Amino acid sequence: MTSAALRSRAWKLLEMVTTPLLPSDYLDLVSPLRAGADLRGRIEAVHPETADAATIVIRPGRGWRGHTAGQYVRIGADVDGRRLWRAYSITSPTNRQDGRVTITVKAIPDGKVSNHLVRRAKPGTLVQLDQPTGDFVLPEAKPAKVLYLTAGSGITPVMGMLRDIDFDDVVMVHSAPQPQDVIFRNELHDLVAAKKLRLTEVHTDTDGVLDIARLDELVPDWAERETWACGPAGLLDAAEEFWSERGVRERLHTERFRPGIVAAGDGGEVTFSATGKTVEADGATPLLDIGEEAGVLMPSGCRMGICFGCVTPLKAGAVRDLRTGEITEAEPGVLIQTCVSAAAGPCDIER
Amino acid sequence: MTAIDPTAHLTAEQIEELGRELDAIRDEVIASRGEKDAAYIRTVISAQRKLELVSRGVLLFSFFPPAWLLGTAGLSVAKIMDNMEIGHNILHGQWDWMRDPKIHSTTWEWDHVSPADQWKHSHNELHHTYTNVIGKDNDLGYGIMRVDEDQKWHPFHLGQPLWNFLNACFFEYGIAAYDLELGKNLHKRRRNTPEFRARAKAVGRKIRKQVLKDYVIHPLLSGPSFLTTLAATFTANLVRNIWTHSVIMCGHFPEGVQTFERRSIKGETRGQWYLRQMMGSANISGSRAMHFMTGNLSHQIEHHLFPDLPSNRYAEVAVKVRALFEKYELEYVTGPLPKQVFSAWRKVFRLSLPNKKPKVDAPDRDQELVAA
């Protein structure tokens, strides 16, 4: 018998010992970060960055596979006793010696998770983690000239890249309301002093929102640069239009934190067939929220349609994609993203 | 069914007002659920697991009598915690709001031979919806006992004190059979439906796993303590069964608790539903430790009004509920455990005999509630 087969037989025996629980239910009591456990992390420190942003240092569990600079991680934090999942960019370099990772979170008004992490999270707390993901990353071959176009907390994935790689020629245009709102400001200025970065800060409280046409003046050679842009939808929409008009759209890489959600009509009776719950839904509320309100255990992720952590079979009826208005009808094997789908008439969700 | 309806003095408007006041109590708890409550259930679960581990560990040396006593006591308490404060309440969905997939009514499985999903159907759906409605709520007598004067007497009922005692000893098996509706399914030759066979198979699988764990694997692990560990686990299961049976009997059987006719719940309003839960349940008074060991089912009245509120909040809810009982001049049936157990058993004995004066002209409750 191979050692793997032996191990699996031993595990089976252990399951008989612990039934109806699993051996992992007991191991979690003593070693929640061990290899083989559900992926979790322990918050080890919270460092304030600005008045409303903080960097959270997390020791990930043994199953953590590491990230690529620019990627994000989904974090499940228990806020007021309720587990909520959000996605945050990783801001630590990939080769950090102590194996810890950091995320940098900006508290947004009424943001449940962001305010919790920035203002109330305590060292020692466990959070749930997913493996890092996202394609807002650099190509294998380091580009010769780089432009980072960022605003607000859009700087966080970019900081992960700046900390990770020494660029030959990198320019950053960053918008924030005031100087003291610029996250990582000291570190950015250190990079500038060391001639590793050229930085333009736009302070929107005094300068107004960045007019994308000003790029011609701020970064005359912007069209030759490989560009990564991250920030509010307005900035990214403007950038996409600007790059397209100049015929260099392929040079622009964007990361959107929140999708623009379009108003939708309809709605209907939603059946969660695995749990046997039926509720009325309007045509504008994501099915994820509808299910959670009804007490159905819904898988969830970024809640903005990017991570596919919430996909669920649609067994009957039709749903509307809240971002595009596109209608999806039930067919065998059809999965929908419940976080950006609303009922378009009666439907049946397998949960 | 009592000849005199104890709610006859209430008008239809009063009953609806009572419903609104109860809804307000419920909303208040829901709005204030939070971190403290989540910490509570996690602490209880972790304590239960540790207690079970330590007790099983001690039982490895159960040939040594003090170890046997200590391990058996610990395991009994651990099993009671698992079934009552943890299992029963999680399976009611009391903790679903936490959105923790590990502590959720759809994923939880308990130390019990009835599989969680079958129990949820018979208990949460049937018993909690049709509380104390004769012919609809099988919890009334579990299909083997006569618990109301108006139920037809049969010579079979002469033996019901004995059936009840046996049911107490092997309560988890009784519940499993009950969840399967075994009696009905065997009688009516419905056992051959694939649906019933699948459920029976699931119960068989669960029994096999539970028995294997308690009566084979753990005794074997104890080596020279094989027999004493076997006796210890048997004792712990017996203690757990008798305890849970006693607590559950106190919930709906004691004197003073009302039962209802099928036709009385037709077109029932929310207020009337609440009122039925209030009159059909009974509490157990006692210390905090007592409430904990009953899984807060000592607050049975509050649990039946709000089955999905977290159990750790029933004590504070009880104060407000009791005030409503007083306001509406209703009887809040409660008492210490021995008194309630005695009362329930006395009823089991009394109704094992035919009634001296069968009540023929029981008033139609529904008519009264509406007309009053």
Side-chain angles (χ1 to χ4, degrees):
Chain A
M1 200 184 284
T2 65
S3 69
L6 254 179
R7 251 206 314 278
S8 100
R9 190 164 285 197
W11 194 253
K12 282 256 159 61
L13 186 71
L14 208 53
E15 282 177 358
M16 287 162 77
V17 173
T18 60
T19 191
L21 298 180
L22 295 170
S24 59
D25 291 323
Y26 289 99
L27 292 171
D28 282 352
L29 291 176
V30 286
S31 178
L33 301 184
R34 73 191 187 282
D38 290 351
L39 191 56
R40 305 181 182 94
R42 195 185 292 284
I43 295 178
E44 293 199 331
V46 180
H47 302 303
E49 294 283 355
T50 65
D52 57 2
T55 291
I56 322 287
V57 181
I58 298 170
R59 179 158 72 98
R62 296 276 298 280
W64 180 256
R65 290 203 287 265
H67 72 286
T68 305
Q71 285 191 317
Y72 63 86
V73 61
R74 298 200 312 119
I75 292 191
D78 292 327
V79 182
D80 295 331
R82 189 181 303 246
R83 183 155 304 162
L84 301 174
W85 287 84
R86 296 289 187 274
Y88 293 105
S89 297
I90 299 171
T91 49
S92 50
T94 52
N95 59 354
R96 189 175 155 130
Q97 290 305 308
D98 62 6
R100 311 301 195 256
V101 292
T102 65
I103 54 168
T104 302
V105 179
K106 184 174 185 296
I108 55 174
D110 299 325
K112 282 186 187 146
V113 179
S114 62
N115 278 291
H116 174 83
L117 288 174
V118 170
R119 310 193 197 285
R120 286 190 285 145
K122 296 226 164 43
T125 310
L126 283 180
V127 289
Q128 314 297 311
L129 295 178
D130 261 1
Q131 296 294 349
T133 182
D135 45 18
F136 191 70
V137 294
L138 296 167
E140 298 245 333
K142 191 165 71 177
K145 294 168 91 176
V146 170
L147 166 63
Y148 288 126
L149 179 61
T150 56
S153 59
I155 197 169
T156 53
V158 167
M159 201 62 208
M161 298 187 202
L162 285 175
R163 283 172 172 167
D164 207 46
I165 297 153
D166 273 329
F167 293 97
D168 303 323
D169 180 355
V170 55
V171 180
M172 173 184 265
V173 178
H174 178 68
S175 297
Q178 298 183 52
Q180 63 266 34
D181 297 319
V182 175
I183 305 172
F184 313 122
R185 189 157 195 252
N186 290 341
E187 196 174 340
L188 291 171
H189 284 228
D190 288 347
L191 285 172
V192 171
K195 302 210 181 313
K196 289 181 173 167
L197 171 72
R198 275 189 290 149
L199 172 69
T200 301
E201 278 181 43
V202 179
H203 301 135
T204 53
D205 276 2
T206 47
D207 309 342
V209 176
L210 173 72
D211 173 8
I212 200 86
R214 277 184 68 205
L215 268 186
D216 286 324
E217 152 216 340
L218 294 173
V219 191
D221 61 349
W222 66 267
E224 296 163 29
R225 293 176 176 271
E226 206 65 30
T227 300
W228 279 265
C230 185
L235 174 76
L236 300 182
D237 292 344
E240 281 172 3
E241 202 184 322
F242 192 66
W243 261 255
S244 296
E245 280 169 7
R246 307 296 200 280
V248 284
R249 178 68 181 81
E250 74 285 352
R251 296 257 167 96
L252 177 68
H253 313 272
T254 56
E255 172 115 302
R256 283 174 190 271
F257 281 164
R258 284 185 181 275
I261 286 183
V262 299
D266 284 344
E269 194 170 74
V270 181
T271 305
F272 296 93
S273 47
T275 33
K277 290 222 164 76
T278 301
V279 284
E280 236 358 271
D282 62 42
T285 310
L287 291 165
L288 174 59
D289 296 349
I290 300 280
E292 285 176 342
E293 279 306 308
V296 179
L297 184 62
M298 303 288 288
S300 72
C302 62
R303 309 181 89 88
M304 51 177 133
I306 57 172
C307 76
F308 289 79
C310 66
V311 290
T312 301
L314 176 64
K315 285 180 68 189
V319 299
R320 171 178 281 108
D321 189 314
L322 287 167
R323 299 162 301 178
T324 60
E326 189 188 352
I327 299 280
T328 303
E329 283 175 23
E331 266 173 66
V334 163
L335 299 173
I336 54 157
Q337 291 171 273
T338 59
C339 73
V340 289
S341 300
C347 52
D348 182 337
I349 312 291
E350 194 177 299
R351 277 293 155 200
Chain B
M1 257 152 298
T2 34
I4 300 153
D5 180 357
T7 65
H9 61 286
L10 297 179
T11 66
E13 289 75 36
Q14 280 178 314
I15 293 171
E16 293 322 296
E17 178 57 24
L18 168 66
R20 281 189 291 277
E21 289 183 75
L22 285 167
D23 277 338
I25 293 175
R26 173 189 165 78
D27 293 347
E28 214 174 295
V29 175
I30 285 187
S32 64
R33 283 185 310 204
E35 207 171 315
K36 263 186 172 167
D37 303 290
Y40 171 78
I41 191 64
R42 291 212 168 92
T43 306
V44 172
I45 291 171
S46 147
Q48 190 277 338
R49 285 174 185 169
K50 286 171 189 158
L51 178 62
E52 176 162 356
L53 266 183
V54 170
S55 306
R56 300 261 191 199
V58 169
L59 286 177
L60 297 178
F61 310 96
S62 57
F63 61 84
F64 181 53
W68 189 91
L69 270 176
L70 195 67
T72 306
L75 188 59
S76 304
V77 173
K79 277 176 177 272
I80 287 169
M81 284 169 74
D82 173 276
N83 280 188
M84 308 291 272
E85 183 67 344
I86 301 173
H88 170 270
N89 294 333
I90 290 176
L91 293 177
H92 259 292
Q94 292 182 4
W95 302 98
D96 285 9
W97 60 273
M98 287 163 59
R99 297 183 191 165
D100 181 343
K102 291 197 189 286
I103 308 178
H104 198 275
S105 63
T106 55
T107 59
W108 194 263
E109 193 51 83
W110 56 348
D111 185 280
H112 198 285
V113 297
S114 180
D117 56 340
Q118 293 193 24
W119 181 83
K120 276 192 293 184
H121 172 70
S122 63
H123 181 84
N124 293 3
E125 283 180 51
L126 301 183
H127 168 58
H128 273 269
T129 311
Y130 301 111
T131 309
N132 284 25
V133 177
I134 292 171
K136 285 277 223 179
D137 177 6
N138 295 327
D139 271 39
L140 276 176
Y142 296 104
I144 53 169
M145 283 189 297
R146 181 169 174 263
V147 291
D148 192 279
E149 272 83 359
D150 285 357
Q151 281 175 312
K152 213 178 139 197
W153 183 85
H154 186 278
F156 172 81
H157 292 126
L158 283 172
Q160 75 179 25
L162 178 64
W163 317 147
N164 199 37
F165 175 71
L166 290 175
N167 190 30
C169 295
F170 302 99
F171 193 50
E172 58 174 328
Y173 293 90
I175 292 287
Y178 164 73
D179 290 347
L180 274 174
E181 299 190 10
L182 200 59
K184 200 155 103 189
N185 278 299
L186 291 182
H187 267 305
K188 292 193 179 167
R189 296 184 173 275
R190 274 166 44 179
R191 67 189 130 168
N192 277 329
T193 65
E195 194 261 334
F196 174 72
R197 274 207 306 258
R199 290 196 300 130
K201 219 167 150 184
V203 174
R205 220 169 19 239
K206 189 80 194 285
I207 290 178
R208 203 158 51 239
K209 279 187 178 173
Q210 291 287 113
V211 166
L212 206 60
K213 168 180 80 161
D214 274 348
Y215 300 128
V216 180
I217 307 267
H218 282 282
L220 276 176
L221 285 173
S222 310
S225 295
F226 180 90
L227 282 178
T228 47
T229 297
L230 188 77
T233 31
F234 181 81
T235 307
N237 279 330
L238 188 69
V239 168
R240 181 263 310 266
N241 286 343
I242 290 176
W243 175 257
T244 51
H245 178 266
S246 302
V247 168
I248 283 155
M249 280 233 299
C250 293
H252 303 288
F253 286 13
E255 301 289 352
V257 171
Q258 310 296 311
T259 56
F260 307 89
E261 277 184 86
R262 258 181 213 242
R263 61 187 164 149
S264 76
I265 62 162
K266 246 180 100 183
E268 198 175 48
T269 65
R270 183 152 181 83
Q272 288 169 333
W273 184 87
Y274 268 138
L275 188 60
R276 175 157 57 84
Q277 306 301 331
M278 291 166 85
M279 303 319 297
S281 311
N283 280 3
I284 307 168
S285 57
S287 64
R288 281 182 65 178
M290 230 283 309
H291 292 309
F292 177 79
M293 289 307 286
T294 63
N296 276 297
L297 292 177
S298 47
H299 299 298
Q300 187 78 232
I301 297 171
E302 289 73 21
H303 172 59
H304 261 265
L305 290 169
F306 315 114
D308 58 350
L309 290 188
S311 57
N312 61 322
R313 306 294 288 273
Y314 285 145
E316 67 183 68
V317 165
V319 179
K320 296 175 190 168
V321 168
R322 195 162 186 168
L324 284 183
F325 269 84
E326 274 161 28
K327 179 176 167 187
Y328 289 93
E329 295 172 24
L330 297 166
E331 193 197 352
Y332 191 81
V333 181
T334 185
L337 184 73
K339 176 178 163 246
Q340 299 297 82
V341 170
F342 178 76
S343 171
W345 270 101
R346 194 172 54 188
K347 198 175 193 177
V348 168
F349 272 93
R350 180 160 53 83
L351 292 170
S352 66
L353 301 171
N355 300 348
K356 283 171 193 149
K357 286 183 213 160
K359 292 179 185 75
V360 218
D361 288 308
D364 187 339
R365 264 182 67 80
D366 189 39
Q367 290 296 318
E368 272 193 29
L369 287 181
V370 177

